[in-house]
Amino acid sequence: MLTRGAMSQNYNSKIQKVWFSLVTLTGCLLSQSIFSAQYVVKFKNQTDGFSRAVAQRTLKRAKVIDQHSAGNLVLLDLGQPSKKELVKKLSEILKDPNVQYAVENIKIRAFHLPNDPEITKQWSVAAVRAAEAWNSGVGSRQVIVAVTDTGVDYSHTDIKDNLWTNKKETPGNGIDDDQNGYVDDVHGYDFRDNDGDPKDETSQQNPGHGTHCAGILGAVGDNAKGISGMSQRISIMASRFLGADGSGDLMGAVKSIDYATENGANVISASWGAASTASNAQPIIDAISRANDKGIIFVAAASNDGKNNDRYEVYPANTQLPNVITVAATTESETKPSWSNFGQAKVSLAAPGEKIYSTLPGDRFGELSGTSMATPLVSGLAGLLLAHNSDLKPTDVKGILQASGKKMEIETACNCRVDAATAVERVRGGNLTVIPQAATIAPDSTLQFSAWGGKGPYQFASSAENIASIDSKGLLTAKTEGEVTVTVSDSRNTSNQSLRIRVVASDAGGGGGTEDCPLGDPQICEMMCGISPDLPWCKAKMGR
């Protein structure tokens, strides 16, 4: 039996739970159902626990049914044990010194509601002044954007010429020609069905979400067909983990991100999310961190619950890593739709997301709405900026988009909606830009600033030294609550002022809608409290 001391020591760093939900808001209801006793287990780095579990296909008498080497993850099937047996098995797994944490594998489902199928003008393209941006260039197929979603209809006449092609792979020969671990991954990979065919499959639950996103970011432009994506020339990589019924799981999501990271993506577009604490979403955060290490931009949907992400935890949107750009939605009348999430600390910017006209499977077109639609527009615009300057870092792209955005009261970090023409102009002109442009930090914390563009050396200044001071190297030190701006000047006597840098004690609020019990069943939590009353939910119940 697991002792109280051992359980207390292992619990906080290991046992976690993910409520993993597709966020399309093409009008959808979310439903969650748990796989029968399946857990994703993360092994610590530089141990042989992962390789031993994979080789033996078992861990503590639990069957290993899947594995993901990039994340040191295995998927365990614990069968259908009683609650008492489940507690015992979890305890044994978490006592393994090689195990870092365990996360429930959650099945999710999105139910599509009818929306107006009328074909309308692409108002979003006009709103962000895309045509003016295209006067300076329409993009490059050297830039790869991965669509992690329900797949992409790669036979669509308005998409197929902009598909990423793995030139090292021979189609249909059943061989992993490039030895990247995936057979016949010519245009991407399908982690839902574990094959090299990531084609979007429609149903009442999935109208073609991934294909719609792909068209928004990269439908072929100026080809006398259909519509134009934000980048008229780009390479779209399909990384599918959501099925025809709109369902997927945590393991597939992590794999889809890592596939893009390992196979050359410059931008990853993620129009999905999870109501979850940061610890619950750790496998996803780990995968985004691996993308960050390679300088890959990760664009995430803010979600469609109409809530403030500063107080409502949702992932990957709230991931606090330098490469993450989180996107809210706007309407044609330049307002925030009631369903779009927002947040001055956790949401980077906004983009058109209501009644967006784009590609659908079967050479069709139609309207969908959601932060899911706003996200690929920003992904496509990020790709367009990279086509002009491939040396841009993720933080540079975020800062430039915020500095160039059209200001509007929408409660994001920049209070702005992206403007493609101004963003491209800033990149092409090498305009001096403070990085980051907007931020929220706590008193007594520090934040490193830098400059993009202009000509060094640079000088930094704070608008209110009593609130936050900044040294000659751009290190800002927050002192007390309030707001400041940071100004950078260069050797040419040009300058740029940041947007608001907010110093607040805490914007954190309640959890993401999960129960206090992180195991999904209050009775199991009661049993765990019998083993160790020091567990967090046990303390809460006892008022300690």
Side-chain angles (χ1 to χ4, degrees):
M1 176 174 291
L2 181 63
T3 65
R4 177 182 301 180
M7 184 61 210
S8 177
Q9 181 178 2
N10 283 284
Y11 178 80
N12 288 332
S13 64
K14 292 184 176 179
I15 189 155
Q16 306 168 46
K17 176 182 179 180
V18 168
W19 292 98
F20 188 65
S21 305
L22 170 67
V23 181
T24 64
L25 235 302
T26 57
C28 69
L29 300 176
L30 300 181
S31 172
Q32 299 166 334
S33 61
I34 184 171
F35 285 116
S36 176
Q38 289 188 3
Y39 285 81
V40 176
V41 174
K42 168 69 182 294
F43 287 91
K44 298 175 183 176
N45 294 331
Q46 298 178 337
T47 67
D48 62 357
F50 170 77
S51 57
R52 185 166 59 247
V54 170
Q56 296 176 353
R57 305 300 296 172
T58 184
L59 177 66
K60 304 297 182 182
R61 298 187 300 281
K63 185 179 180 181
V64 174
I65 59 174
D66 198 4
Q67 58 91 15
H68 181 49
S69 59
N72 278 345
L73 302 174
V74 298
L75 180 60
L76 296 183
D77 187 345
L78 277 64
Q80 297 181 330
S82 66
K83 292 176 182 178
K84 184 176 181 180
E85 291 170 339
L86 179 59
V87 169
K88 182 178 180 180
K89 287 187 177 184
L90 286 173
S91 298
E92 290 178 355
I93 291 167
L94 295 174
K95 283 193 295 183
D96 188 321
N98 294 315
V99 170
Q100 185 171 332
Y101 58 71
V103 181
E104 270 188 309
N105 196 30
I106 301 298
K107 184 176 182 180
I108 54 88
R109 192 176 303 275
F111 296 96
H112 178 251
L113 297 178
N115 60 49
D116 188 354
E118 180 182 355
I119 295 176
T120 62
K121 183 180 178 180
Q122 280 184 278
W123 71 265
S124 56
V125 170
V128 301
R129 301 199 300 148
E132 295 176 52
W134 294 331
N135 287 334
S136 300
V138 296
S140 168
R141 292 193 175 113
Q142 299 300 310
V143 177
I144 303 170
V145 178
V147 178
T148 58
D149 213 287
T150 61
V152 175
D153 181 0
Y154 46 76
S155 63
H156 198 293
T157 56
D158 215 13
I159 292 178
K160 61 183 181 180
D161 289 343
N162 272 353
L163 284 172
W164 171 73
T165 299
N166 183 355
K167 297 179 180 178
K168 297 179 181 179
E169 196 75 13
T170 301
N173 68 352
I175 299 173
D176 181 12
D177 300 286
D178 60 359
Q179 298 184 350
N180 69 345
Y182 304 98
V183 174
D184 292 338
D185 57 323
V186 178
H187 299 304
Y189 201 77
D190 180 356
F191 294 98
R192 179 68 165 80
D193 296 329
N194 292 314
D195 60 42
D197 185 9
K199 193 168 187 177
D200 204 348
E201 299 177 17
T202 61
S203 69
Q204 287 185 334
Q205 291 79 32
N206 174 37
H209 187 259
T211 300
H212 199 268
C213 291
I216 293 169
L217 73 88
V220 182
D222 198 27
N223 65 345
K225 299 176 183 177
I227 64 167
S228 175
M230 188 62 250
S231 279
Q232 294 185 354
R233 300 290 182 273
I234 203 162
S235 290
I236 300 170
M237 175 190 289
S239 190
R240 179 179 188 254
F241 77 99
L242 297 167
D245 61 353
S247 72
D249 68 5
L250 172 64
M251 197 74 159
V254 173
K255 287 182 177 182
S256 71
I257 295 170
D258 278 322
Y259 178 85
T261 298
E262 295 164 355
N263 288 278
N266 304 105
V267 181
I268 298 174
S269 191
S271 291
W272 44 270
S276 165
T277 63
S279 59
N280 297 155
Q282 196 60 52
I284 295 173
I285 297 171
D286 288 345
I288 298 171
S289 179
R290 290 188 285 273
N292 180 64
D293 291 341
K294 290 193 174 183
I296 299 169
I297 300 166
F298 190 93
V299 187
S303 190
N304 308 298
D305 305 303
K307 296 181 179 180
N308 185 342
N309 281 16
D310 296 351
R311 295 177 173 81
Y312 176 73
E313 293 192 277
V314 57
Y315 286 85
N318 285 15
T319 302
Q320 297 297 286
L321 286 169
N323 62 329
V324 177
I325 301 174
T326 301
V327 187
T330 61
T331 67
E332 189 171 3
S333 59
E334 301 283 41
T335 59
K336 183 186 76 65
S338 61
W339 43 258
S340 176
N341 284 26
F342 56 95
Q344 297 180 77
K346 300 294 177 63
V347 180
S348 310
L349 42 77
E354 185 178 63
K355 295 183 178 179
I356 303 301
Y357 187 65
S358 183
T359 49
L360 289 172
D363 273 350
R364 296 180 299 116
F365 299 85
E367 287 182 354
L368 298 177
S369 297
T371 55
S372 283
M373 284 63 252
T375 295
L377 189 146
V378 174
S379 299
L381 179 51
L384 187 63
L385 298 185
L386 290 174
H388 287 288
N389 186 335
S390 60
D391 292 329
L392 289 170
K393 300 175 183 177
T395 50
D396 298 334
V397 171
K398 182 193 293 187
I400 289 166
L401 290 177
Q402 291 175 325
S404 60
K406 180 179 180 180
K407 300 303 177 277
M408 54 189 295
E409 292 303 316
I410 195 168
E411 292 189 75
T412 64
C414 65
N415 277 335
C416 72
R417 191 259 295 134
V418 293
D419 184 307
T422 307
V424 167
E425 180 183 3
R426 180 171 284 273
V427 170
R428 287 178 59 82
N431 296 4
L432 182 63
T433 306
V434 178
I435 306 296
Q437 271 286 303
T440 298
I441 59 175
D444 300 320
S445 64
T446 61
L447 180 63
Q448 183 64 54
F449 281 77
S450 62
W452 181 86
K455 183 176 177 57
Y458 305 106
Q459 293 183 329
F460 298 89
S462 167
S463 64
E465 290 280 337
N466 61 313
I467 295 174
S469 60
I470 192 166
D471 65 19
S472 60
K473 295 182 179 179
L475 183 65
L476 184 83
T477 301
K479 299 178 179 178
T480 187
E481 290 191 296
E483 293 183 359
V484 301
T485 57
V486 170
T487 299
V488 63
S489 303
D490 69 0
S491 60
R492 296 170 176 167
N493 292 322
T494 59
S495 64
N496 176 250
Q497 186 180 80
S498 74
L499 302 172
R500 295 178 306 162
I501 308 301
R502 302 167 62 241
V503 182
V504 296
S506 175
D507 267 9
T514 59
E515 300 295 331
D516 289 338
C517 170
L519 302 179
D521 187 326
Q523 291 185 9
I524 293 178
C525 280
E526 290 284 349
M527 295 170 70
M528 297 294 276
C529 287
I531 297 174
S532 177
D534 293 329
L535 296 173
W537 64 83
C538 305
K539 292 181 180 180
K541 182 177 178 180
M542 297 175 66
R544 292 191 289 172

